[in-house]
Amino acid sequence: MKELNKDKIIQNLPIDRLNIDIFNDIDSTNDEAKRINLTKDFHIVIAEQQHKGRGRLGKKWSSPDLGNIYMTVCTEKDLSHLPLSLVVGVICKKGIEKLTNNNEIKLKWPNDILHNNKKVGGVLIEKEIFRGSTRTIIGIGINLNIKKEESWWGDLSKYKLETKRNKLINLIISEIIKLDHHYEYEWINAWRSGCVHLNREIEIYKDEEFIKKVIFKDIDENGNGILQSKNGHEKISSGKINIKGIY
């Protein structure tokens, strides 16, 4: 396992705009991002392992010290013009595919990163108010190599990305820090082309309670899911979906 290397991670990045902290062991990179004193446009927190890693809806995110990516990018710049869960998912997908020379990474609404129909990564967006400013906290977890303790877990071990981990983190950061300039990031068609369930039947859940089955037709520019049911089209902005055959 190659260790996290700050010099390699910040290569060609504008260091006047960001700080990076690297931990061997931490409770949660997102929680650390809530504690820090932000002195530059962006602050990145990266760890070898987390003890309280979590995903959406408060679910635990297993974070062992096996050479994976556990990182958070936080900023008080205005990123409200973008649906960050989807956009950052696209950024991670493109970074992985650039280093593996394939297009096998898929996306599941709203924040999951998949490979071979298993979850290999996810994005957790949180917002906190600090002294009158809104802090956006972008948590990213990518399984490069894990122990298969749960049937739905997957990883990218076939690509041996542990040796390219610093470069992948660098690629992800370099794209995220461009977003605050209303950079015209072409995300929507990339997300559509990577979506594993476009025009497929899905099950919608709210608080773990099954609601109904619909067809996932599309997304809009705000990241809302556009659904088709017997009653016509509708939109959802949050929630959990299940797709038959996908973890």
Side-chain angles (χ1 to χ4, degrees):
M1 181 181 81
K2 289 237 178 180
E3 292 186 353
L4 293 166
N5 184 306
K6 185 173 181 178
D7 289 336
K8 291 182 179 179
I9 289 171
I10 66 173
Q11 191 170 10
N12 299 320
L13 294 179
I15 58 174
D16 60 314
R17 298 191 64 213
L18 57 89
N19 284 319
I20 296 182
D21 291 331
I22 297 176
F23 296 85
N24 286 325
D25 198 339
I26 201 170
D27 52 355
S28 158
T29 58
N30 269 32
D31 287 347
E32 176 64 15
K34 297 173 185 177
R35 296 189 287 256
I36 60 174
N37 180 29
L38 197 61
T39 60
K40 294 185 180 180
D41 290 347
F42 293 88
H43 201 118
I44 291 88
V45 182
I46 311 169
E48 289 286 6
Q49 65 178 336
Q50 302 178 110
H51 293 292
K52 295 181 180 179
R54 63 187 182 278
R56 286 181 70 245
L57 309 177
K59 291 187 176 181
K60 180 181 177 181
W61 182 264
S62 179
S63 311
D65 183 6
L66 292 172
N68 298 305
I69 292 176
Y70 316 119
M71 63 180 283
T72 296
V73 179
C74 70
T75 184
E76 291 178 6
K77 294 290 185 178
D78 182 12
L79 303 182
S80 61
H81 59 292
L82 291 167
L84 287 174
S85 289
L86 282 76
V87 173
V88 174
V90 169
I91 287 173
C92 293
K93 168 181 162 65
K94 287 186 173 183
I96 294 166
E97 292 179 343
K98 182 173 183 177
L99 296 182
T100 58
N101 296 312
N102 72 70
N103 60 353
E104 295 180 356
I105 303 302
K106 302 299 180 183
L107 300 169
K108 174 177 173 279
W109 189 89
N111 72 319
D112 289 352
I113 303 165
L114 311 180
H115 180 260
N116 288 338
N117 290 335
K118 300 288 186 180
K119 183 170 180 174
V120 298
V123 179
L124 175 63
I125 307 297
E126 298 183 286
K127 291 184 183 291
E128 296 275 329
I129 302 299
F130 282 80
R131 296 183 293 276
S133 298
T134 300
R135 180 172 296 187
T136 300
I137 298 164
I138 305 168
I140 300 167
I142 303 175
N143 295 332
L144 304 184
N145 183 29
I146 61 167
K147 297 175 181 177
K148 306 296 194 300
E149 296 179 10
E150 299 286 349
S151 62
W152 53 273
W153 290 357
D155 67 19
L156 300 171
S157 55
K158 66 177 283 187
Y159 301 113
K160 303 189 185 308
L161 282 175
E162 300 97 310
T163 62
K164 301 177 181 178
R165 182 167 56 146
N166 293 303
K167 180 60 177 176
L168 180 53
I169 294 171
N170 171 276
L171 291 173
I172 292 169
I173 295 172
S174 68
E175 292 302 311
I176 291 177
I177 64 175
K178 295 176 184 176
L179 300 177
D180 74 309
H181 293 303
H182 288 243
Y183 168 58
E184 293 297 325
Y185 188 75
E186 298 296 333
W187 69 271
I188 193 163
N189 287 328
W191 194 93
R192 287 169 175 149
S193 66
C195 177
V196 74
H197 52 79
L198 207 62
N199 292 311
R200 291 181 60 178
E201 183 180 74
I202 65 168
E203 297 177 343
I204 298 178
Y205 289 79
K206 184 175 182 180
D207 299 326
E208 301 299 324
E209 179 182 352
F210 171 74
I211 304 298
K212 59 183 173 181
K213 291 183 179 181
V214 294
I215 304 297
F216 194 99
K217 294 298 293 182
D218 201 358
I219 54 171
D220 64 17
E221 67 277 4
N222 297 314
N224 297 312
I226 301 174
L227 314 175
Q228 181 182 336
S229 68
K230 60 184 179 181
N231 298 320
H233 286 83
E234 59 185 284
K235 292 184 179 182
I236 56 171
S237 59
S238 63
K240 174 187 173 185
I241 67 171
N242 283 351
I243 307 99
K244 185 176 181 180
I246 298 178
Y247 73 84

